Amino acid sequence: MIEPVGNQYVVSRPIYSEEFFQTEHQKVQRYHKTFLDHLRVFFGCSPEKAKRIAFTFFPIASWLPMYQFKQWILSDIVSGVSTGLVAVLQGLAFALLVNISPGYGLYAAFFPVIIYFFFGTSKHISVGPFPVLSLMVGTAVLRLAPDSLIAGNNSTEAVEWLDEKRVVVAASVTVLAGIFQLAMGLLQIGFVVIYLSDALISGFTTAAAIHVLVSQLKFVFGLKVEPFSGPLSLFYTLEGIFTQITDTNICDLVTSIIIMVVVFAVKELNDRFKSKLPVPIPIEVIMTVIATGVSYAFNFKDRYSVDIVGQLEKGFQAPTAPNVSVFQDAIADGFSIGIVGFAVAFSVAKVYSIKHDYTINGNQELVAFGLSNIFAGSFRGFAASTSLSRSAVQESTGGKTQIAGLISAIIVMIVTLAIGFLLEPLQKSVLGALVVINLKGMLMQFNEIPNLFRKDKYDCLVWIVTFIAAVLLGLDLGLAAGVGFELLTVVFRTQFPKCSQVANIGGSNIYKNRKDYRNIYEYEGVKIFRCPSPIFFANIDFFKDKLIAAVGFNPLRVLRKRNKALRKIQKLLAKGNLQMTPKGLICTSYDYKDSDDEELDNNRIEELDQPTSAVGLPIVIDWNGNLPNNITVPKVDIYSLIIDFGAVSFLDISAMKGLKSILKEFIRIEVDIYIAGIDDNLLEKLERCGFFDEEITRDILFLTIHDAVLHVIVKREMNSNAKSKSEMIKDKETRFDSNENKNGTLRNRDTAEDIDQFCSQLDISTPTLPKLNDRVEKNGDSQDGISKSPNSGWNKVSKQRKTKNQAARPIPSSEESDPT
């Protein structure tokens, strides 16, 4: 029962062990579906399931009938036109990153949008070329179709053949990436994107921005630099640029600088006054039109030898089958392109879905992008994802649905079919400048490093390592290295968890790290250990080391020392060096030395790991006292150890074996072990795996740390009361006498038997301890359920003084005898 009293509450309930809780509260027997059950559901058919599948694979059927034509159509038209103009320019510009003719960029800006319109679930992202993906495709193109294929042959036919081969390679890699995406979507494994954390994506895209920036410098400076691919390609490209820097085309450089300055300034104005501007100023379109007109009017191509876009093919080419031989050489490229493209698009789509309150389906997004890339590759386009800047234009200009995307595709189609020839005089340096200026958002991600360092140093390391790997090794190998390092950090975090000792805070039922608070209470002889991590094969040894460090002794070493001491005492009795007399046990010699220690350690050491057995001895040994004949055994200053399993989500077989061995070691040296807060699923697994036996029973399990602590207190007080009453009835202690007045603390076994007999008469050895806590204290100072009497053993520990000899500061109480 819980009774609220102001901002406090009073709880009255028994001390619950797992066994006692299951006895009072019957657990519902649930049926867990088997693999066959899941197969039946998966292959079953019903009208509702068919309708759900249809809406899942064709999302347009769910939102198009509900389209609010009068309210939304104007906004979608404005958004579609604005986005389409930007898509045309970005398609031309990003084609340069693929190392193919700019005209093919228009295909990449058209076909994926049409397919996504039918199969996509996001209402606001703009599908099409993305600089990072374009560069990744371009890397594969340079590797599979390098300039060396036509080395020494600069004829027009050879150059056209190489350009055509590069187009086929780019299209084939795009189809392969689409196949990977489609397969993952159909197999419902879109969750793979969770292995790409925000820090990894940020570091990777920043490194890709550096690659894009360097690759566009040759267009900005008007240089003929040989393209490179593979590890360190970025530095080889820089070397080629600085080697030819004296051959810079001044016209291209001046044009690029003007374009970048003007576009940057206007974009800053758009950001600053976006709340006042109905539509962002389309500065890229304006500057492209101006640059094209100026280049055509002053004949820059012939006068200054600038490199221009050149002839754009009018219309669309017939679809072609991809080159299967490219598939064999570009499997890694296709997979990495598919994963990165989906990860970027899904992250952007998720941002807009949260902002506008609708849901997106990750697996269906994989299907949509897979089909988009397969379709685009078949028509000689290259890989598509979503551009952050283009999606921002589509959303900020009022786009409501993918109708805006369809209209943007119509704008691209108009340019491709009718007015593409107007862009032929456009300098490639203008496109390069537009690419560079659109990298601002990704380059600004460098500002995340100090924030990540303050928030999470592991994420900061992931960002830095991914960035460096992608810059040095290239985007494909860099991504793999980043994912590998990210998984390594996960292993490192779980392998070395921050284990701690916890203590009672403020005399309540709250337990926290004892190092973090001043007002802590600890029961003498009780240690509480917490491991906030799963326990498995990689960290079980670390767990055991931390547990041993927390208690202050190695239980296995203590057990072996006790077994050795027991054997010595048995030999002392057998040889007469220790004799039993009517007045007690007397040591007759202190010169006994055991010569079998070395042999025992080497050949029969497994015997020392067994529980100590005093069968046949007329005495009960107090291992914390002085032993005869100067025998020494490490002292154990605790009698109960509570392990908090509240944050342990799973155990594997190796961890179970290691945990079982360490628990048995503690039990064998007479330290009571308790496990608190274990999850039901984990408990079921322990039972299935045969974790419990005669030594480790289910009696050690308690619902909470507080239940375990109260059980220890009750049990300790009952044993203490039984001992005191037994000593009043019969006092038969036997002590050692010696000339040096060194007494061993071995008690007569008769006394121990009398105590056991007396306890059995009181019926306190039966498992009725929880019933002793069936009442709650009425005093407001004692609502927590902990015994606060001066003799209860609870000590208030100060941060300034934590020595063992510190005087205990008891908690005031109105009922000294109430253990709850």
Side-chain angles (χ1 to χ4, degrees):
M1 178 179 179
I2 301 178
E3 299 180 1
V5 181
N7 63 346
Q8 298 181 343
Y9 64 89
V10 179
V11 180
S12 174
R13 67 169 178 82
I15 302 173
Y16 277 132
S17 66
E18 284 286 347
E19 287 290 319
F20 186 49
F21 183 81
Q22 297 298 338
T23 301
E24 285 205 345
H25 303 277
Q26 186 176 4
K27 194 173 182 179
V28 176
Q29 296 297 326
R30 294 187 300 149
Y31 175 76
H32 297 279
K33 289 185 178 180
T34 63
F35 179 72
L36 292 177
D37 294 330
H38 288 288
L39 285 181
R40 292 190 191 99
V41 173
F42 183 79
F43 290 106
C45 186
S46 64
E48 294 78 11
K49 184 177 181 179
K51 182 178 179 181
R52 185 175 67 253
I53 292 175
F55 282 164
T56 299
F57 282 97
F58 297 96
I60 188 174
S62 62
W63 63 264
L64 189 59
M66 296 184 294
Y67 186 80
Q68 301 178 20
F69 189 84
K70 294 182 179 180
Q71 291 84 356
W72 292 353
I73 188 62
L74 183 60
S75 298
D76 280 340
I77 291 175
V78 173
S79 175
V81 172
S82 303
T83 306
L85 295 175
V86 177
V88 169
L89 299 179
Q90 290 188 349
L92 296 173
F94 296 160
L96 300 179
L97 301 174
V98 188
N99 299 290
I100 59 178
S101 174
Y104 293 100
L106 297 178
Y107 300 166
F110 174 75
F111 290 107
V113 181
I114 300 297
I115 301 301
Y116 190 85
F117 173 77
F118 292 98
F119 295 97
T121 59
S122 175
K123 300 178 182 179
H124 295 89
I125 64 172
S126 175
V127 180
F130 179 59
V132 174
L133 283 192
S134 301
L135 187 63
M136 295 177 73
V137 176
T139 301
V141 167
L142 289 181
R143 191 182 74 253
L144 300 178
D147 289 341
S148 59
L149 293 178
I150 57 170
N153 187 0
N154 294 326
S155 62
T156 304
E157 293 79 6
V159 173
E160 290 179 352
W161 175 84
L162 181 61
D163 291 342
E164 179 65 20
K165 182 174 180 59
R166 287 180 172 176
V167 171
V168 172
V169 170
S172 301
V173 172
T174 299
V175 172
L176 182 60
I179 292 173
F180 279 121
Q181 290 176 328
L182 180 61
M184 288 189 292
L186 294 177
L187 294 175
Q188 304 288 298
I189 54 176
F191 64 87
V192 295
V193 74
I194 65 177
Y195 293 106
L196 303 180
S197 66
D198 293 341
L200 184 142
I201 292 176
S202 177
F204 176 77
T205 53
T206 305
I210 299 295
H211 279 280
V212 172
L213 175 63
V214 172
S215 68
Q216 295 306 293
L217 289 179
K218 63 181 181 180
F219 297 109
V220 172
F221 288 99
L223 301 175
K224 302 291 184 182
V225 178
E226 179 184 356
F228 298 94
S229 63
L232 301 179
S233 60
L234 183 142
F235 298 97
Y236 294 141
T237 304
L238 286 175
E239 180 186 9
I241 291 173
F242 285 112
T243 302
Q244 304 179 33
I245 196 68
T246 55
D247 300 330
T248 299
N249 190 308
I250 302 301
C251 180
D252 278 331
L253 180 60
V254 171
T255 303
S256 300
I257 293 175
I258 293 174
I259 293 293
M260 286 190 286
V261 170
V262 174
V263 171
F264 178 79
V266 176
K267 278 182 172 290
E268 290 296 313
L269 291 176
N270 283 338
D271 291 339
R272 179 167 297 184
F273 300 104
K274 61 183 177 182
S275 59
K276 299 181 180 179
L277 293 173
V279 177
I281 301 174
I283 187 58
E284 290 105 331
V285 177
I286 296 173
M287 294 304 296
T288 301
V289 172
I290 294 175
T292 304
V294 172
S295 176
Y296 176 77
F298 293 95
N299 195 14
F300 281 176
K301 182 180 184 303
D302 296 331
R303 180 175 296 183
Y304 300 107
S305 301
V306 298
D307 198 3
I308 62 174
V309 170
Q311 183 178 0
L312 298 176
E313 292 193 17
K314 196 172 184 179
F316 298 101
Q317 299 185 19
T320 58
N323 191 336
V324 179
S325 62
V326 174
F327 286 2
Q328 301 174 355
D329 299 327
I331 292 179
D333 299 279
F335 184 76
S336 59
I337 289 169
I339 291 295
V340 172
F342 169 66
V344 172
F346 186 75
S347 60
V348 176
K350 187 165 60 174
V351 170
Y352 288 122
S353 68
I354 294 174
K355 181 178 179 180
H356 295 277
D357 192 22
Y358 62 90
T359 59
I360 55 175
N361 187 326
N363 291 311
Q364 181 60 25
E365 287 293 290
L366 271 172
V367 172
F369 278 102
L371 292 174
S372 298
N373 283 323
I374 291 173
F375 204 72
S378 300
F379 283 90
R380 296 174 176 259
F382 50 86
S385 178
T386 181
S387 170
L388 280 68
S389 58
R390 197 168 61 247
S391 296
V393 170
Q394 180 167 322
E395 190 268 343
S396 63
T397 52
K400 303 296 183 183
T401 65
Q402 282 298 330
I403 294 289
L406 182 63
I407 294 174
S408 70
I410 294 174
I411 298 297
V412 176
M413 182 182 67
I414 292 174
V415 173
T416 304
L417 296 177
I419 61 175
F421 68 93
L422 297 177
L423 296 173
E424 292 179 1
L426 180 63
Q427 297 169 247
K428 288 186 178 179
S429 59
V430 174
L431 297 177
L434 292 176
V435 171
V436 171
I437 207 65
N438 276 293
L439 297 176
K440 175 198 168 187
M442 287 190 286
L443 293 175
M444 290 296 290
Q445 292 177 142
F446 278 111
N447 294 331
E448 294 183 13
I449 296 178
N451 293 331
L452 287 174
F453 185 81
R454 288 192 298 267
K455 295 177 181 178
D456 192 320
K457 293 180 174 57
Y458 284 108
D459 281 345
C460 184
L461 276 177
V462 169
W463 196 105
I464 294 173
V465 170
T466 304
F467 173 81
I468 295 176
V471 167
L472 296 179
L473 303 178
L475 296 181
D476 48 356
L477 296 178
L479 177 63
V483 172
F485 182 79
E486 182 183 44
L487 296 179
L488 185 63
T489 60
V490 175
V491 173
F492 188 82
R493 294 189 201 196
T494 55
Q495 187 172 355
F496 303 103
K498 294 183 178 179
C499 301
S500 60
Q501 293 185 54
V502 299
N504 185 274
I505 306 300
S508 64
N509 62 344
I510 300 173
Y511 292 82
K512 296 286 187 180
N513 192 329
R514 65 189 305 274
K515 296 181 180 180
D516 296 336
Y517 297 89
R518 296 183 182 276
N519 191 24
I520 65 175
Y521 294 83
E522 294 182 296
Y523 196 77
E524 184 180 357
V526 179
K527 294 283 187 181
I528 308 174
F529 180 78
R530 172 176 291 165
C531 179
S533 167
I535 305 175
F536 57 106
F537 66 93
N539 68 354
I540 181 60
D541 291 332
F542 180 83
F543 171 84
K544 291 163 68 174
D545 292 341
K546 286 294 184 180
L547 182 59
I548 291 172
V551 299
F553 58 87
N554 188 329
L556 183 59
R557 179 175 178 270
V558 173
L559 179 61
R560 289 176 176 175
K561 289 287 187 179
R562 288 187 179 183
N563 276 321
K564 283 185 179 181
L566 186 62
R567 283 165 173 75
K568 290 181 180 180
I569 293 173
Q570 290 173 338
K571 289 181 180 180
L572 284 171
L573 290 169
K575 291 181 178 291
N577 295 335
L578 184 64
Q579 295 184 358
M580 187 74 181
T581 67
K583 294 185 178 181
L585 290 171
I586 300 177
C587 291
T588 61
S589 174
Y590 289 92
D591 297 330
Y592 172 78
K593 292 184 179 178
D594 192 354
S595 59
D596 297 334
D597 284 350
E598 193 66 30
E599 179 183 356
L600 184 63
D601 285 339
N602 293 334
N603 301 329
R604 292 161 39 212
I605 193 170
E606 67 277 359
E607 297 179 7
L608 301 179
D609 297 343
Q610 300 304 315
T612 55
S613 176
V615 176
L617 289 179
I619 51 176
V620 176
I621 303 176
D622 182 5
W623 293 110
N624 284 335
N626 295 323
L627 301 178
N629 205 276
N630 296 324
I631 298 175
T632 58
V633 173
K635 303 296 188 294
V636 176
D637 58 353
I638 68 171
Y639 55 84
S640 294
L641 174 63
I642 302 172
I643 304 177
D644 180 15
F645 263 41
V648 178
S649 57
F650 73 88
L651 286 165
D652 65 358
I653 300 300
S654 299
M656 287 184 192
K657 291 181 179 178
L659 180 64
K660 191 170 185 177
S661 66
I662 190 75
L663 294 187
K664 284 190 174 182
E665 291 166 8
F666 278 107
I667 292 172
R668 289 170 181 176
I669 62 172
E670 301 172 0
V671 174
D672 294 333
I673 295 293
Y674 303 99
I675 296 178
I678 189 169
D679 182 72
D680 288 344
N681 295 324
L682 185 57
L683 178 57
E684 291 178 3
K685 183 176 181 180
L686 292 179
E687 292 176 339
R688 288 198 311 270
C689 297
F691 182 80
F692 301 105
D693 54 20
E694 294 180 357
E695 289 187 85
I696 303 177
T697 64
R698 286 177 54 94
D699 295 337
I700 69 173
L701 304 176
F702 283 82
L703 286 188
T704 66
I705 300 177
H706 199 53
D707 286 295
V709 170
L710 294 179
H711 173 80
V712 170
I713 295 173
V714 173
K715 183 178 179 180
R716 187 67 172 175
E717 291 184 353
M718 292 173 62
N719 291 338
S720 178
N721 294 336
K723 180 179 178 181
S724 62
K725 292 180 181 179
S726 177
E727 289 175 349
M728 291 175 61
I729 296 174
K730 192 174 184 179
D731 185 6
K732 291 185 177 181
E733 291 190 357
T734 303
R735 303 181 182 275
F736 285 97
D737 296 326
S738 66
N739 296 331
E740 300 175 0
N741 198 24
K742 294 182 179 179
N743 297 330
T745 54
L746 305 179
R747 296 188 292 109
N748 193 306
R749 179 172 293 277
D750 294 340
T751 302
E753 293 174 354
D754 291 340
I755 294 175
D756 294 338
Q757 182 179 0
F758 182 78
C759 292
S760 63
Q761 292 175 356
L762 294 178
D763 195 26
I764 62 173
S765 60
T766 57
T768 58
L769 296 181
K771 297 183 180 180
L772 297 177
N773 195 39
D774 285 340
R775 62 186 183 276
V776 63
E777 295 177 1
K778 303 301 182 181
N779 193 319
D781 296 333
S782 185
Q783 298 173 2
D784 44 35
I786 297 179
S787 173
K788 300 178 180 178
S789 62
N791 298 323
S792 64
W794 282 93
N795 293 341
K796 182 175 181 179
V797 183
S798 172
K799 280 291 184 182
Q800 288 75 19
R801 299 180 62 192
K802 291 188 177 180
T803 62
K804 294 183 179 179
N805 296 326
Q806 180 185 7
R809 180 180 176 184
I811 310 173
S813 174
S814 60
E815 295 183 28
E816 295 183 356
S817 62
D818 189 353
T820 61

